[in-house]
Amino acid sequence: MQQVLHRGAALMQHSEEALDASWDDLKLFLACAKYKSFRNAAEELGQTSTTLMRRIDRLEESIGCKLFLRDQSGLTLSDEGTAMIADVGHMERHAFNVFRRASRTSNDASGTVRIAVTEGPGNFWILPRLIDFQKTYRKIAVDLRCAMEQADVARLESDIAIQLEPPTNPDLIVAKLGRLHIYPFVSRDYEKLYGVPATLADLKNHRIVKQNAPQVDDSAYARVLGLKSLEGIVGIKTNSSVGVLYAVERGAGIGFLPTVSIALGAPLVAVDLSVSHHADLWLTYHSEFRTSERHKIVVDWLKKIFDPKIYPCFRDEFIHPNALVPMMTAAREGFGLTGYVAAMPI
């Protein structure tokens, strides 16, 4: 009996010690589980791998179990880590909700709204129209982040996100904004010097400018072109959609860009290979922001400037880029941009 009581006291003492575990350490645990390596998690968090390993060691010692199986391939959650991650994730969601509610209730029609969007639509579609938005809504500050990395709205990385993949988190509100139709283009100078391929078989005599980036399907190029491999065809690879457009305009090769690029005035020539691709644009934000006046204003504005009824380039059905030019007069009015700045890559 005394042994049982002693064991119970030891368990109670260990449980009390576990309460000393730092919330910061628990967040590091979530990051390591997400990125599956100390190095990748450390780079994302702006810490050194050594510091991160030490913090996880301290957390494991505090709770009395191993959270990760570590080997040369990276980190794998242990059974204890798998059991724990749901609870820690639940704690994190509640913590984020506290901040969201505070943001939502503070001076409804004024304050900052953070938007994360891919490079092209952010730089060349939203930003020019944001200037007019600011003239109407002077008290709303829009923090616009243009990057190919997808922001996690649920984890407060952004208030609103426009992305190429729909999220699956049930706490998020998701709406389809429109569709980007991807088509091959070359510059006018390239066409004069090298001509354009008339068939897919002619591609071997040309070079492709290819984008490798998050949210971009790396296999789409070969699949759409009906090729097993792009080896020997790709001349330039870049993670930047702006870089793809710039390289194509400078005559580096064939680039796959949204059809709206030419409709907005980019000096490009459509390459008719009887192939096209599309990527849907998804708007997402947390359900907590449904009652925030400034977030509702921004969401409604974003839906308006991507409305396919007003801007046919975002319709579901494919429209040849040459046919888009006369249809996009309203979109170009007041845009005031020419050359590669006027186009809109992904």
Side-chain angles (χ1 to χ4, degrees):
M1 182 68 176
Q2 187 172 356
Q3 288 179 345
V4 173
L5 290 174
H6 177 74
R7 189 185 308 129
L11 288 172
M12 183 177 294
Q13 180 181 2
H14 180 73
S15 177
E16 291 173 352
E17 289 174 354
L19 294 178
D20 292 332
S22 164
W23 169 238
D24 287 336
D25 288 342
L26 292 176
K27 288 190 291 185
L28 297 182
F29 160 66
L30 288 177
C32 290
K34 177 180 180 180
Y35 293 102
K36 296 181 173 58
S37 87
F38 287 124
R39 185 183 65 183
N40 294 341
E43 289 178 357
E44 182 67 21
L45 297 169
Q47 298 189 13
T48 66
S49 299
T50 303
T51 299
L52 189 55
M53 291 172 64
R54 189 183 306 120
R55 297 280 294 273
I56 295 299
D57 287 341
R58 184 177 70 185
L59 176 61
E60 290 178 333
E61 183 178 355
S62 175
I63 63 178
C65 67
K66 285 290 182 182
L67 299 173
F68 295 103
L69 306 177
R70 313 178 190 189
D71 55 37
Q72 292 182 345
S73 63
L75 299 175
T76 303
L77 283 169
S78 65
D79 291 341
E80 292 82 0
T82 300
M84 178 173 156
I85 196 166
D87 291 332
V88 178
H90 193 60
M91 292 168 62
E92 184 185 51
R93 286 192 293 275
H94 278 288
F96 287 150
N97 284 340
V98 171
F99 290 107
R100 262 188 289 266
R101 290 190 185 101
S103 175
R104 179 192 66 195
T105 56
S106 61
N107 202 0
D108 270 345
S110 66
T112 298
V113 176
R114 300 173 302 151
I115 303 174
V117 60
T118 55
E119 282 184 295
N123 287 315
F124 303 122
W125 192 262
I126 294 178
L127 188 56
R129 288 158 178 79
L130 189 55
I131 297 169
D132 288 333
F133 176 87
Q134 281 290 290
K135 293 176 182 177
T136 304
Y137 300 100
R138 304 291 294 176
K139 294 184 179 181
I140 298 178
V142 175
D143 182 352
L144 185 65
R145 173 198 167 194
C146 304
M148 293 306 298
E149 288 76 17
Q150 187 169 300
D152 191 337
V153 174
R155 302 186 75 249
L156 285 181
E157 293 177 359
S158 181
D159 298 341
I160 300 168
I162 298 173
Q163 55 199 53
L164 302 179
E165 300 171 357
T168 56
N169 190 319
D171 295 330
L172 303 183
I173 296 174
V174 183
K176 182 180 172 182
L177 277 183
R179 174 170 290 180
L180 296 178
H181 293 276
I182 316 301
Y183 208 73
F185 292 96
V186 296
S187 69
R188 292 168 185 166
D189 288 340
Y190 183 94
E191 182 187 33
K192 291 176 183 177
L193 287 172
Y194 307 108
V196 296
T199 65
L200 292 175
D202 292 339
L203 275 177
K204 64 179 182 298
N205 300 317
H206 296 268
R207 288 294 177 268
I208 290 175
V209 180
K210 184 174 182 290
Q211 183 183 8
N212 287 4
Q215 300 193 69
V216 175
D217 183 356
D218 192 52
S219 64
Y221 292 85
R223 186 176 67 252
V224 170
L225 293 172
L227 302 174
K228 292 182 178 180
S229 172
L230 296 180
E231 186 176 352
I233 300 177
V234 175
I236 294 177
K237 293 181 183 180
T238 175
N239 67 328
S240 169
S241 53
V242 177
V244 171
L245 177 57
Y246 182 75
V248 172
E249 283 203 331
R250 292 297 299 271
I254 301 170
F256 288 79
L257 300 165
T259 54
V260 67
S261 301
I262 193 171
L264 291 180
L268 301 174
V269 176
V271 179
D272 295 324
L273 295 172
S274 300
V275 296
S276 65
H277 182 52
H278 69 258
D280 291 332
L281 289 172
W282 300 92
L283 180 145
T284 179
Y285 57 99
H286 200 278
S287 57
E288 288 285 345
F289 287 135
R290 280 182 300 187
T291 56
S292 167
E293 187 63 25
R294 69 177 183 276
H295 288 88
K296 287 196 295 182
I297 289 171
V298 173
V299 166
D300 289 343
W301 172 71
L302 288 170
K303 289 180 179 179
K304 182 178 180 180
I305 66 172
F306 281 94
D307 187 348
K309 295 178 182 177
I310 302 173
Y311 306 108
C313 54
F314 300 123
R315 292 178 185 173
D316 280 354
E317 64 270 22
F318 173 75
I319 302 174
H320 193 278
N322 293 342
L324 272 176
V325 175
M327 300 173 70
M328 292 291 290
T329 303
R332 295 195 303 274
E333 287 179 355
F335 209 63
L337 299 176
T338 58
Y340 82 90
V341 178
M344 188 189 73
I346 292 179

